[in-house]
Each structure stands twice: as structure tokens, then as C-alpha cells.
């Protein structure tokens, strides 16, 4: 059998990898279970009366346990994304593509789809047989059954994602009683559809042709980065063991091709480091099993580093290297800046917009009046009754609609404020006006916003 036919079915389409067992497989299974436990379980966590992690688009706020973020706080979201990206760079510099092979959602969901396929359609030879004659009734029934289960799993994953936007118990109730809104259903089906398409159908094609990270992550590698490598010195020349006693003895690789059959991206790691290798370690498990059967030492394919390969020493993860240290330093600096920002973050945000339709109005009492649209956002878990006052304009009084300013916990309030002052106290043209918003029951809960008051 040629390497090309080992990789993909003769009928074309995605790889049909053989499932393995071993250290790396155990680790991968654990990561699939852990990531899905977190992904599907987190929306059910409650905190202080609300969903602990909730992206409430309708209310324009994000809950993250005790924190409530408003649109003005998007800088923290940007900071969190920067930390995640730097964390990924740091991990890549240390361990190559272990993230891709074990924790990337595409890999995790592809792995789940492969399990389903394996359970329903059988092992690799059986699955290849099904693909070779797909319209035979028994084959078709198995293929339809496996696709149906994959679609069902994709719907659960779609539900899991939407539950971060619509409270999970509410979402589940809407599924059970059929009252789900049109947009919610659209997003659930869209995410389920993408999961099925990318993980169930396209599989490794996403890693090979669509993922941008695969293309540039090698710039984060250095000579101490852990990579999956084949020991060519020990393995070559490859060939069957029965040829050992010829004039040209063989290396330890018996050219069984199992390392290619198990590879989810269909590459032959014996050809050297390739960008298609996602570092899943399946070929290591497969080759170790072959070596065990041959009573040869394990590690013909192993995690190694370019430095270890060149020096002949065992591979060792070295944390104290310039590149990972630079990434760690950047992570620490960003985290510190965010921590300071969060520490000093005011629980009250106020947006003031002067009513531009009317420059200045004269009231029946002869006072000059300017109007302002005010939006108040509460990041505090307690409700507050607010009062408004104005500074910078002698004798000014503030009237609001509504008159009673009740700001809900983690909520927002929109109001109209009218500032009135005697003409003698108002300068001609624009002058600075300080609007104070404060809680009646908590002096520390206050904010001052500057705007302008236009005189005649
Ligand atoms: S599994 Fe090991 S022995 Fe078999 S072809 Fe691959 S490297 Fe050679
Ligand atoms: S070469 Fe090995 S580690 Fe790389 S993707 Fe294939 S099976 Fe996984």
C-alpha cells in the first residue's frame, strides 16, 4: 500500500484516521472531556442572582461572575483577548502545536465526530469499505446513522454557545416548550451547522487550508520548542524486519505505515517537520505500540526539540528562554494594567448628550434652560436612588424626567435633565457645566461629567 492510499480513502474526501490508544490519546480524551465540561457547564453557573458568565446583548452588558461590564468597559475585553493571544504564543513557544492537537475547538469537535464515526461505522478498514461502496443499503444506513448523531451533537454544541447569550434555563425551557425566538433559533442552528460542517465534514481541511494560525505559528518556535519528530538516524533505512540479515541492515522503522494511518491530517511525519502536523501525538502512540510488539525501545517518533536532535541529548522543556520570557513579561504587564484598571474602575458610568435641537429656551419664569439626554450605567450589584446637581452655573437648578431616579442593580437608566438658571448668572455663548450624579444612600457612588450650557 502506498503512503497516499494510507492517508485518504481511494474515493477522496477527508482522512479516515485509525483511532489509537496510549499516553497522548488519554491526554486528548481528557482534554475533550474537560473542555466540553467547561464549555457546556459554565452557562449553568449562577452568581449573585444572575448567570455567572452572560453576554447580555439586549441589555448591552457582560456578566463575568461579580463583574458587570458595559460598552464603556470594552477595553477590558480587549485586554483579556490580548492576554489569551499572548498565552497562546507563550504556550506555542514552549510546546509547539500541543494547543492545536489537544484543545483547539476544531480538533476537539473533530475528535468527537471521529469517535461517533468509529462507534457507528466501525474501525478504519470498515469505514473505508463503507466509503468505497456508499450506496449499498447496509452501508448507507450506517452512514446516515452516524451523520444523524453528529448533527444531534452539533445541535447540543450550538445550544451550549447560545446559552452564553440567552440564560441557559430560559433557553432550555424555550427548547422544551417550542417557544424559542426566531433569532435565537437562527444562531443556534448557525453554530450547530458550522460545527457539523467544519468538524463533521471538512475536518483536517480546516487546519490545512483555512486556519491562519497554522501558517504563522512557526515564527514562535525556537530550537527548544517541543515538536513531534521522527528519529531518522534510528529508523532509517526503513523496511521489514525479515530483511535485517541482508548486507544492508534495516533501521527500527518497519515501514508498517500505522503512523500515517492514525494521523488526523494525513501526513507522514517521517518526512520531517511539516506545517500540517498539529502535534496531537497519535503517531507517537501508534509507533510506541509497534515498538512494544517488536520489543524495541519506544520513542522512534517522540516529542523532541531541534536542539535535542542536534545535540543527541534528551529533550527537556526549558522555561527560562528569551522568547517565552518575553511573552510572559507581556502577559504580566497586560494583566497588571487590567488589574489596576479594574481596581480603580468606577461602578457608575454616565453619558451626557446635550439636546442639540434647541440651543437655549426661555421658561415662563424667565429662566434660561438647556436640556440633556443622560444615560447612567450601574456596574454595582445594588440598586441606587440617584440625584442630579449642577456646578459651574450659580443658582442653577436641575429638573429630571422621570423625577424619581431609580437605577436598578446591574442596570441602566435613561433620563432627560433640564438645567435652568437666571439670565444674570449665565455668560453669553457656551460655558462649562459640571453635572454631578450621585446616590442618595452611598456618597462614594457618584460621578461628575462635564458638558456645556449655552447662554443667549
Ligand atoms: S509506526 Fe513506527 S515503525 Fe511503523 S511506519 Fe511509522 S515510524 Fe515506522
Ligand atoms: S504527524 Fe503525528 S502528531 Fe502530527 S498531526 Fe499527524 S499524528 Fe498528529
Amino acid at each position: 500500500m502506498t503512503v497516499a492510499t494510507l492517508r485518504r480513502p481511494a474515493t477522496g474526501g477527508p482522512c479516515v484516521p485509525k483511532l489509537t490508544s496510549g499516553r497522548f490519546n488519554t491526554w486528548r480524551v481528557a482534554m475533550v472531556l474537560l473542555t466540553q465540561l467547561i464549555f457546556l457547564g459554565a452557562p449553568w453557573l449562577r452568581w449573585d442572582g444572575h448567570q455567572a458568565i452572560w453576554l447580555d446583548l439586549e441589555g448591552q452588558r457582560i456578566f463575568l461572575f461579580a463583574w458587570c461590564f458595559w460598552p464603556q468597559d470594552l477595553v477590558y475585553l480587549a485586554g483579556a483577548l490580548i492576554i489569551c493571544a499572548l498565552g497562546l504564543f507563550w504556550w506555542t513557544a514552549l510546546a509547539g502545536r500541543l494547543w492545536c492537537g489537544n484543545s483547539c475547538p476544531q480538533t476537539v469537535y473533530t475528535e468527537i465526530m471521529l469517535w461517533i464515526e468509529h462507534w457507528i461505522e466501525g474501525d478504519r478498514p470498515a469505514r473505508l469499505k463503507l466509503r468505497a461502496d456508499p450506496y449499498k443499503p447496509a452501508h448507507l444506513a450506517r452512514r446516515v446513522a452516524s451523520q444523524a448523531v453528529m448533527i444531534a451533537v452539533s445541535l447540543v454544541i450550538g445550544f451550549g454557545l447560545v446559552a452564553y447569550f440567552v440564560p441557559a434555563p430560559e433557553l432550555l425551557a424555550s427548547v422544551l416548550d417550542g417557544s424559542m425566538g426566531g433569532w435565537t433559533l437562527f444562531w443556534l442552528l448557525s453554530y450547530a451547522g458550522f460545527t457539523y460542517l467544519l468538524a463533521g465534514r471538512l475536518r483536517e481541511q480546516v487546519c490545512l487550508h483555512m486556519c491562519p494560525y497554522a501558517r504563522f505559528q512557526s515564527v514562535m518556535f525556537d530550537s527548544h520548542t517541543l515538536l513531534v519528530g521522527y528519529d531518522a538516524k534510528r529508523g532509517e533505512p526503513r523496511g521489514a524486519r525479515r530483511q535485517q540479515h541482508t548486507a544492508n541492515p534495516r533501521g527500527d522503522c518497519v515501514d508498517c505505515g500505522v503512523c500515517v494511518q492514525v494521523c488526523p491530517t494525513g501526513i507522514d511525519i517521517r518526512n520531517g517537520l511539516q506545517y500540517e502536523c498539529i502535534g496531537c501525538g497519535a503517531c507517537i502512540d501508534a509507533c510506541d505500540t509497534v515498538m512494544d510488539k517488536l520489543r524495541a525501545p519506544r520513542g522512534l517518533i517522540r516529542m523532541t526539540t531541534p536542539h535535542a536532535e542536534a545535540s543527541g541529548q534528551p529533550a527537556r522543556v526549558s522555561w527560562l528562554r528569551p522568547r517565552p520570557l518575553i511573552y510572559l513579561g507581556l502577559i504580566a504587564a497586560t494583566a497588571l494594567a487590567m488589574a489596576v484598571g479594574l481596581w480603580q474602575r468606577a461602578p457608575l458610568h454616565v453619558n451626557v448628550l446635550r439636546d442639540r435641537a434647541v440651543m437655549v429656551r426661555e421658561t415662563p419664569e424667565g429662566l434660561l434652560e438647556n436640556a440633556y439626554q443622560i444615560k447612567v450605567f450601574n456596574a454595582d450589584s445594588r440598586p441606587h436612588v440617584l440625584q442630579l446637581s449642577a456646578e459651574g452655573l450659580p443658582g442653577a437648578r436641575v429638573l429630571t424626567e422621570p423625577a424619581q431616579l431609580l437605577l436598578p442593580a446591574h442596570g441602566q437608566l435613561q433620563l432627560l435633565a433640564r438645567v435652568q438658571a437666571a439670565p444674570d448668572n449665565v455668560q453669553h455663548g457656551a460655558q462649562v457645566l459640571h453635572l454631578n450624579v450621585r446616590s442618595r444612600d452611598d456618597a462614594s457612588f457618584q460621578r461628575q461629567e462635564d458638558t456645556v450650557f449655552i447662554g443667549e
Side-chain angles (χ1 to χ4, degrees), residues 21-271:
S21 57
R23 292 174 294 152
F24 286 90
N25 182 61
T26 306
W27 174 247
R28 218 166 38 251
V29 172
M31 287 306 292
V32 169
L33 297 179
L34 181 68
T35 52
Q36 293 319 290
L37 188 70
I38 293 171
F39 172 67
L40 296 172
W44 296 93
L45 296 177
R46 307 286 301 169
W47 190 277
D48 207 8
H50 57 78
Q51 186 163 307
I53 304 171
W54 180 24
L55 293 89
D56 178 14
L57 296 186
E58 206 179 327
Q60 301 175 0
R61 57 195 175 165
I62 297 174
F63 285 103
L64 192 61
F65 295 93
W67 286 306
C68 173
F69 297 99
W70 291 100
Q72 296 86 341
D73 299 317
L74 279 183
V75 64
Y76 298 107
L77 182 63
L81 291 176
I82 290 170
I83 289 177
C84 288
L86 288 169
L88 186 56
F89 296 167
W90 171 75
W91 183 240
T92 302
L94 281 180
R97 296 190 68 179
L98 278 189
W99 153 266
C100 298
N102 295 279
S103 334
C104 170
Q106 172 64 19
T107 310
V108 166
Y109 293 135
T110 300
E111 185 76 13
I112 293 173
M113 300 305 179
L114 286 173
W115 292 347
I116 294 168
E117 204 172 89
H118 182 85
W119 289 328
I120 297 176
E121 297 182 20
D123 58 11
R124 187 171 189 268
R127 284 185 280 149
L128 288 174
K129 220 165 141 189
L130 290 191
R131 279 158 185 73
D133 189 3
Y135 299 111
K136 195 173 163 186
H139 292 186
L140 194 60
R142 279 178 181 238
R143 290 286 287 156
V144 169
S146 68
Q147 300 304 305
V149 176
M150 284 183 209
I151 290 171
V153 168
S154 301
L155 286 169
V156 172
I157 293 163
F159 177 96
L161 184 79
V162 175
Y164 285 91
F165 296 87
V166 178
E170 210 177 284
L171 184 64
L172 182 61
S174 74
V175 170
L176 296 179
D177 64 18
S179 64
M180 187 182 288
W183 277 112
T184 308
L185 183 64
F186 170 79
W187 287 115
L188 194 155
L189 292 180
S190 298
Y191 192 59
F194 274 115
T195 304
Y196 174 68
L197 178 69
L198 299 182
R201 308 295 305 171
L202 295 177
R203 299 194 180 161
E204 80 279 2
Q205 303 302 321
V206 176
C207 308
L208 302 186
H209 306 298
M210 292 164 71
C211 176
Y213 189 55
R215 304 280 162 167
F216 72 83
Q217 63 183 302
S218 58
V219 299
M220 289 152 224
F221 294 174
D222 62 18
S223 61
H224 291 273
T225 300
L226 270 184
L227 302 166
V228 176
Y230 165 70
D231 187 346
K233 279 187 212 140
R234 183 184 145 192
E236 300 296 321
R238 68 188 75 160
R241 277 282 164 106
R242 64 177 176 275
Q243 297 168 9
Q244 281 294 23
H245 301 296
T246 63
N248 183 15
R250 302 288 175 180
D252 275 356
C253 174
V254 291
D255 206 13
C256 60
V258 179
C259 53
V260 184
Q261 291 174 22
V262 298
C263 179
T265 62
I267 60 168
D268 186 345
I269 194 66
R270 295 172 298 171
N271 295 337

Side-chain angles (χ1 to χ4, degrees), residues 153-426:
V153 168
S154 301
L155 286 169
V156 172
I157 293 163
F159 177 96
L161 184 79
V162 175
Y164 285 91
F165 296 87
V166 178
E170 210 177 284
L171 184 64
L172 182 61
S174 74
V175 170
L176 296 179
D177 64 18
S179 64
M180 187 182 288
W183 277 112
T184 308
L185 183 64
F186 170 79
W187 287 115
L188 194 155
L189 292 180
S190 298
Y191 192 59
F194 274 115
T195 304
Y196 174 68
L197 178 69
L198 299 182
R201 308 295 305 171
L202 295 177
R203 299 194 180 161
E204 80 279 2
Q205 303 302 321
V206 176
C207 308
L208 302 186
H209 306 298
M210 292 164 71
C211 176
Y213 189 55
R215 304 280 162 167
F216 72 83
Q217 63 183 302
S218 58
V219 299
M220 289 152 224
F221 294 174
D222 62 18
S223 61
H224 291 273
T225 300
L226 270 184
L227 302 166
V228 176
Y230 165 70
D231 187 346
K233 279 187 212 140
R234 183 184 145 192
E236 300 296 321
R238 68 188 75 160
R241 277 282 164 106
R242 64 177 176 275
Q243 297 168 9
Q244 281 294 23
H245 301 296
T246 63
N248 183 15
R250 302 288 175 180
D252 275 356
C253 174
V254 291
D255 206 13
C256 60
V258 179
C259 53
V260 184
Q261 291 174 22
V262 298
C263 179
T265 62
I267 60 168
D268 186 345
I269 194 66
R270 295 172 298 171
N271 295 337
L273 181 62
Q274 295 144 76
Y275 86 88
E276 294 98 331
C277 175
I278 58 170
C280 67
C283 54
I284 301 179
D285 283 339
C287 192
D288 281 351
T289 308
V290 174
M291 292 297 115
D292 289 350
K293 283 185 190 152
L294 297 173
R295 296 211 172 85
R298 289 181 164 200
L300 180 56
I301 302 177
R302 58 178 181 266
M303 295 300 295
T304 184
T305 66
H307 176 263
E309 286 296 285
S311 64
Q313 293 167 357
R316 202 169 50 84
V317 179
S318 162
W319 303 82
L320 301 175
R321 292 185 277 127
R323 198 178 293 241
L325 285 177
I326 288 171
Y327 291 136
L328 266 189
L330 291 172
I331 291 169
T334 313
L336 186 65
M338 277 184 66
V340 171
L342 280 172
W343 180 259
Q344 295 181 337
R345 188 173 78 121
L348 176 65
H349 293 294
V350 179
N351 284 356
V352 179
L353 190 64
R354 199 180 163 281
D355 185 353
R356 292 173 199 275
V358 183
M359 294 290 272
V360 56
R361 185 186 298 131
E362 193 171 340
T363 68
E365 301 154 283
L367 299 173
L368 296 181
E369 179 185 276
N370 280 203
Y372 305 86
Q373 295 279 354
I374 300 179
K375 252 187 170 184
V376 187
F377 302 89
N378 186 6
D380 195 4
S381 58
R382 287 183 306 142
H384 291 275
V385 177
L386 301 178
Q387 62 182 20
L388 247 72
S389 60
E391 279 177 33
L393 199 58
R397 70 177 185 192
V398 183
L399 305 174
T400 62
E401 289 171 25
Q404 174 80 343
L405 301 179
L406 179 61
L407 180 62
H410 291 144
Q412 56 176 291
L413 177 68
Q414 195 159 350
L415 63 119
L416 177 72
R418 287 182 288 124
V419 178
Q420 299 175 342
D424 292 349
N425 294 333
V426 178

